[in-house]
Amino acid sequence: MNEKRNFLEELNHHQKAAVLNVDGPTLVVAGAGSGKTKVLTSKLAYIVDQKKAWPNQILCVTFTNKAAKEMRDRVSKMLINQKNSIPWLGTFHAISVKFLRRHAEAIGLKSNFTILDTEDQKKLIKNISKAENIDAKKISPQFILALIDRWKNKGFLPEDVKLSKKDIFDNQILKIYKIYQSKIRDLNACDFGDLILYCVKLFEQNQDIRKIYSNNFKYILVDEFQDTNFIQNKWLQLIVNKNQNICCVGDDDQSIYSWRGAEIKNFLSFDKVYPNCKIFRLEQNYRSTKNILDTASFLISNNKDRLGKKLWSEEKKGELVKLNCFKNGKDEARGVGDILEENIKNKNSLNDIAILVRAIYQTREFEERFLKIGINYRIVGGTKFYERAEVKDAICYLRIINQKFDDIAFERIVNKPRRGLGDSTMKLLHEFSSKNKICLEDSAHKLLLLNKFKPRVRPVIKQLLDLINNWRSQINKKKHYDLLKIILDESGYSAMLKNKKDLENENRLENLKELLRAMNDYDNLQGFLEHVALATSIDQEWEDEKVNIMTMHAAKGLEFNTVFLPGWEEGLFPHQKSLEEKGDLALEEERRLAYVGITRAKKNAYISFATQRIWHGEWLDSLPSRFVGELPDDSIEKNEEIVKDVSDDFDFNQDNLLENNDEYRSPGWARLKKKLLK
């Protein structure tokens, strides 16, 4: 039996049809868990096995090095009798580097050009900002680089960016972009954004070079096509051959990275760019039970911008998807913990369980609950709540006002936000403290009296000490969480995060809000600080099994036996800020994110929401997410016991609260409109 037959026989009817169609443009719409990678690797192996092209005549593009390695390993197993590697299999960036190394001079570089990492970029931007008298506290290097990267993803070099005079802020950054681009050219260097952009410019400006590659690559295969941005799609279009033998594989229902520049229209308009394309749908799912798939499919069917498909499985119906309502976030964490306890009793591996949140600050209540009941966990792609830098900073402010001998806390907060206190000032403080056997705070007071600080440093230190004394005097007058608000405002810490244009700062502010909510559970400052100390010192055996906690974005591509999806409330999910910025486009992407979350589950899925959350120290009512009203009754089991405590007639939607107003889109709105139209 030949090797070709072996790997083809492992495919279902639709997978096989997609593999065998090698000529002309092809779009494979591959649902979650439908064997996307299997189809792509089988197609590559088939082309080589059938001698339709030599391995070096196939371009295969992935998004991650991990995906490229997996594909390479799979193909080598399929083609046992062939030792040929696939030299042009890799990420967009890796392949672009190969192009540019060969043709560097055509775009004004030398072939030994350097690729700058993020730290190199930040350092360069900092130097430029300083030279241009731009306050890094107001416009951070991270924010500048993010905007530059966005321009590059759109195919814009500095001379291509068009702004009006009114865009004062963006014009400042454009000025930096021009200087930055000129400097990295002088360094014979590129950043990551340049790699693909320069390739596009190379092919656009040099038709002879472009023809070399379009003639060479008889077949182009693209993985995760729904995640491509403008410049990546342009890159592909420029090197596709005259026969248009390009096969793109992906899932429009899993397009969740628009904030990274991904454009779903690349996927949806494929048949317009390539009018003769053939579309294959992979709808058989090999991961999840029927009830999980029905729930996900019913939910995503509410999106308009999609090609459409219906996932199905030969698996049994399985457990109904559980929909739980809790009184508040703490009860939600307790409820999840109780279910985990049952899993442990039943010998189910914690490694096969995941909690998927919309926003990273949501991890706190689950972390606290798991620490309390002794369940090991890991934060995937992030840091544990009380170890996040901004949370530690705030807690150190609280520690120093609680007791002045906490030198570790004093040292952490003395220059946060930046107060211009350098190494020499800290060295003076430490030496005086050690010599006189007094704490750093007392040392600062003494050195002020002795006039030992530099003139520039003296008022800064005095102001900080006065603030600390003032805050300390309010410990017994203010609630501890109100005191923290005052500290964050008067220290300038809140302003630092609010004023600094940084894409990460929104998450930092949310984490601080969550910290304030956490403080509500404790009667006084001392009790809260003791809790934090114990929570952060608990010894966890990290080699043991652990529950996985991560954002839904981080979960894409993963699968677990059991998945928890908490916090399905309006404002949180779909996220209010996303809706305000992008409207219906954001709503559809948020729904795709819900779809991704549900389809990570193989056997059990738990969706939950709370009827109340604490905001700014006040209990506020929260509405179930509109996505809750879009779940199919046949596949859902509602937790009536919990609901009964909240409201005897609560039915997981807000139909009874609706007014006949198209602008108000609460759960059940679409269903109500259908009723009105009958």
Side-chain angles (χ1 to χ4, degrees):
M1 188 179 290
N2 65 45
E3 298 303 325
K4 177 199 65 151
R5 279 187 59 198
N6 275 341
F7 66 77
L8 288 181
E9 284 176 359
E10 293 174 1
L11 305 171
N12 66 36
H13 172 72
H14 295 285
Q15 290 172 334
K16 190 174 179 178
V19 168
L20 295 179
N21 184 76
V22 294
D23 297 322
T26 306
L27 183 67
V28 181
V29 185
S34 64
K36 165 180 67 67
T37 305
K38 191 176 191 177
V39 166
L40 206 57
T41 51
S42 297
K43 195 179 192 81
L44 199 161
Y46 178 75
I47 291 168
V48 175
D49 186 73
Q50 291 293 293
K51 296 183 172 53
K52 289 182 173 291
W54 295 107
N56 69 346
Q57 294 176 314
I58 304 169
L59 174 64
C60 188
V61 191
T62 67
F63 267 82
T64 64
N65 290 316
K66 182 183 175 185
K69 184 181 182 303
E70 185 184 353
M71 285 191 66
R72 192 171 280 110
D73 292 344
R74 287 198 190 189
V75 171
S76 64
K77 288 176 182 175
M78 291 176 180
L79 300 173
I80 297 173
N81 298 329
Q82 300 215 28
K83 301 299 180 187
N84 293 316
S85 64
I86 311 294
W88 294 99
L89 193 164
T91 63
F92 278 100
H93 292 99
I95 293 168
S96 293
V97 170
K98 291 176 77 170
F99 289 150
L100 295 178
R101 294 283 184 213
R102 292 182 175 191
H103 309 285
E105 291 184 5
I107 53 165
L109 290 171
K110 295 175 183 172
S111 60
N112 64 343
F113 62 83
T114 303
I115 302 170
L116 301 181
D117 63 22
T118 306
E119 286 307 308
D120 294 330
Q121 290 176 269
K122 283 182 186 175
K123 198 174 289 183
L124 187 54
I125 291 291
K126 278 181 183 175
N127 292 339
I128 296 168
S129 296
K130 193 174 180 180
E132 295 297 315
N133 293 316
I134 292 171
D135 191 351
K137 292 179 182 177
K138 292 184 178 178
I139 311 177
S140 76
Q142 293 99 316
F143 184 85
I144 294 169
L145 285 170
L147 186 53
I148 289 173
D149 194 54
R150 198 181 307 158
W151 282 329
K152 289 184 177 182
N153 287 341
K154 292 286 186 183
F156 298 153
L157 285 168
E159 58 271 24
D160 303 317
V161 179
K162 306 297 181 200
L163 297 172
S164 72
K165 291 181 180 179
K166 294 179 181 178
D167 299 322
I168 299 171
F169 186 76
D170 283 359
N171 272 297
Q172 274 189 300
I173 297 177
L174 179 57
K175 186 180 178 182
I176 294 174
Y177 183 17
K178 289 174 181 174
I179 300 168
Y180 168 81
Q181 208 61 22
S182 174
K183 284 189 177 296
I184 61 174
R185 297 282 293 205
D186 292 342
L187 294 168
N188 190 40
C190 294
D191 62 22
F192 260 61
D194 288 329
L195 296 176
I196 300 173
L197 177 56
Y198 280 169
C199 278
V200 167
K201 299 295 182 184
L202 174 71
F203 295 143
E204 285 180 334
Q205 296 166 11
N206 301 273
Q207 291 298 316
D208 54 336
I209 296 174
R210 176 186 171 185
K211 280 181 182 178
I212 291 171
Y213 294 103
S214 63
N215 290 336
N216 177 73
F217 296 129
K218 290 188 175 181
Y219 296 95
I220 297 175
L221 309 178
V222 187
D223 191 20
E224 303 286 7
F225 185 58
Q226 79 281 346
D227 292 334
T228 55
N229 58 33
F230 172 84
I231 201 69
Q232 289 164 338
N233 195 37
K234 184 80 171 175
W235 185 95
L236 289 166
Q237 290 174 10
L238 285 168
I239 54 174
V240 71
N241 62 27
K242 62 182 180 182
N243 296 319
Q244 298 188 330
N245 293 335
I246 180 170
C247 174
C248 295
V249 181
D251 184 2
D252 51 327
D253 289 335
Q254 295 189 69
S255 179
I256 58 173
Y257 295 127
S258 67
W259 50 278
R260 286 188 194 165
E263 296 190 0
I264 192 173
K265 67 181 180 184
N266 293 343
F267 197 97
L268 299 177
S269 62
F270 186 87
D271 60 341
K272 294 178 178 63
V273 176
Y274 305 100
N276 298 320
C277 82
K278 290 184 179 178
I279 298 177
F280 296 86
R281 286 175 170 79
L282 306 183
E283 298 175 311
Q284 184 175 357
N285 176 283
Y286 295 92
R287 175 188 300 156
S288 309
T289 63
K290 189 175 183 304
N291 278 321
I292 290 171
L293 295 180
D294 287 349
T295 301
S297 294
F298 196 87
L299 175 67
I300 200 64
S301 67
N302 289 278
N303 272 7
K304 294 177 183 176
D305 290 333
R306 60 191 296 263
L307 294 180
K309 62 181 174 301
K310 172 107 170 136
L311 293 181
W312 63 276
S313 173
E314 290 181 346
E315 295 288 318
K316 55 187 179 183
K317 286 182 76 79
E319 297 287 326
L320 292 169
V321 173
K322 307 297 191 299
L323 180 59
N324 295 331
C325 169
F326 296 97
K327 288 181 179 178
N328 51 54
K330 188 181 281 189
D331 280 354
E332 188 175 45
R334 186 183 293 114
V336 170
D338 290 347
I339 299 168
L340 289 179
E341 296 275 24
E342 285 299 314
N343 275 267
I344 294 169
K345 284 180 189 175
N346 295 330
K347 308 292 185 189
N348 295 328
S349 171
L350 291 180
N351 291 331
D352 287 331
I353 299 173
I355 298 170
L356 310 183
V357 297
R358 175 60 181 87
I360 194 65
Y361 73 83
Q362 289 175 263
T363 68
R364 197 268 307 174
E365 283 177 314
F366 295 100
E367 289 186 59
E368 298 223 11
R369 182 63 186 169
F370 297 164
L371 289 168
K372 191 172 183 177
I373 62 178
I375 291 178
N376 284 347
Y377 68 92
R378 65 167 70 87
I379 304 294
V380 180
T383 309
K384 291 194 286 182
F385 184 79
Y386 287 116
E387 292 178 6
R388 293 168 195 166
E390 61 279 2
V391 174
K392 290 179 79 169
D393 291 343
I395 287 169
C396 281
Y397 268 108
L398 293 171
R399 280 168 51 182
I400 196 64
I401 68 165
N402 187 55
Q403 68 108 347
K404 69 177 183 178
F405 302 104
D406 193 336
D407 283 355
I408 294 171
F410 184 86
E411 191 163 8
R412 185 174 182 102
I413 62 97
V414 73
N415 212 28
K416 287 186 181 178
R418 293 191 182 278
R419 298 184 173 92
L421 305 177
D423 293 341
S424 60
T425 302
M426 295 311 299
K427 186 181 177 185
L428 177 64
L429 276 168
H430 277 291
E431 287 177 348
F432 192 88
S433 171
S434 179
K435 183 179 177 181
N436 295 281
K437 295 186 170 32
I438 57 177
C439 66
L440 290 177
E441 186 181 332
D442 283 346
S443 296
H445 279 290
K446 294 278 188 187
L447 288 165
L448 271 176
L449 290 171
L450 296 169
N451 202 22
K452 294 293 184 180
F453 289 118
K454 294 176 182 177
R456 179 183 60 80
V457 171
R458 184 178 171 84
V460 176
I461 291 284
K462 186 177 184 309
Q463 184 188 33
L464 177 62
L465 293 175
D466 288 346
L467 282 170
I468 290 171
N469 285 332
N470 184 44
W471 297 331
R472 200 170 278 146
S473 70
Q474 298 181 65
I475 286 179
N476 297 320
K477 299 176 184 176
K478 300 277 186 184
K479 290 181 178 177
H480 49 294
Y481 46 83
D482 286 333
L483 181 57
L484 178 57
K485 288 180 194 174
I486 292 168
I487 292 169
L488 292 173
D489 286 342
E490 293 183 353
S491 67
Y493 200 96
S494 293
M496 174 187 74
L497 295 183
K498 289 174 182 175
N499 298 336
K500 197 174 181 182
K501 297 293 183 179
D502 188 326
L503 297 179
E504 295 176 8
N505 278 346
E506 188 180 331
N507 282 336
R508 294 190 181 110
L509 284 165
E510 288 297 338
N511 283 330
L512 290 176
K513 290 175 186 175
E514 185 61 28
L515 178 64
L516 289 164
R517 289 193 280 272
M519 294 175 72
N520 273 267
D521 295 335
Y522 299 87
D523 294 331
N524 52 54
L525 179 59
Q526 186 69 41
F528 174 69
L529 290 174
E530 284 176 6
H531 162 74
V532 172
L534 291 169
T536 52
S537 66
I538 287 177
D539 228 351
Q540 287 193 328
E541 294 293 328
W542 293 101
E543 297 304 314
D544 291 347
E545 292 185 352
K546 304 168 274 292
V547 177
N548 303 281
I549 308 177
M550 69 191 84
T551 63
M552 283 183 271
H553 283 101
K556 188 169 175 287
L558 304 177
E559 59 183 43
F560 305 91
N561 282 340
T562 300
V563 169
F564 294 89
L565 298 158
W568 280 41
E569 297 140 35
E570 285 294 307
L572 177 53
F573 190 47
H575 201 277
Q576 188 62 34
K577 191 170 186 295
S578 297
L579 297 185
E580 288 171 357
E581 290 178 352
K582 295 182 180 177
D584 284 347
L585 290 176
L587 177 60
E588 295 220 339
E589 181 157 336
E590 292 282 299
R591 193 176 282 112
R592 291 195 292 271
L593 191 56
Y595 172 86
V596 167
I598 295 169
T599 54
R600 299 311 92 196
K602 293 178 2 184
K603 296 179 180 177
N604 297 286
Y606 296 84
I607 297 169
S608 59
F609 61 91
T611 60
Q612 285 188 319
R613 296 277 180 188
I614 290 179
W615 294 98
H616 304 294
E618 301 283 332
W619 283 102
L620 295 177
D621 292 336
S622 52
L623 286 174
S625 166
R626 67 193 74 189
F627 299 153
V628 168
E630 295 173 359
L631 300 175
D633 290 334
D634 294 346
S635 305
I636 297 292
E637 178 185 313
K638 299 172 183 177
N639 191 330
E640 300 295 344
E641 290 302 311
I642 298 176
V643 175
K644 221 172 351 186
D645 294 336
V646 181
S647 170
D648 289 337
D649 58 355
F650 191 83
D651 62 353
F652 292 92
N653 68 62
Q654 302 296 311
D655 287 350
N656 58 323
L657 301 179
L658 286 172
E659 296 178 9
N660 189 8
N661 183 348
D662 279 12
E663 297 301 312
Y664 185 68
R665 301 183 179 184
S666 65
W669 174 240
R671 195 161 56 252
L672 178 63
K673 282 204 296 186
K674 286 178 185 175
K675 290 177 183 175
L676 294 172
L677 290 170
K678 283 183 178 178

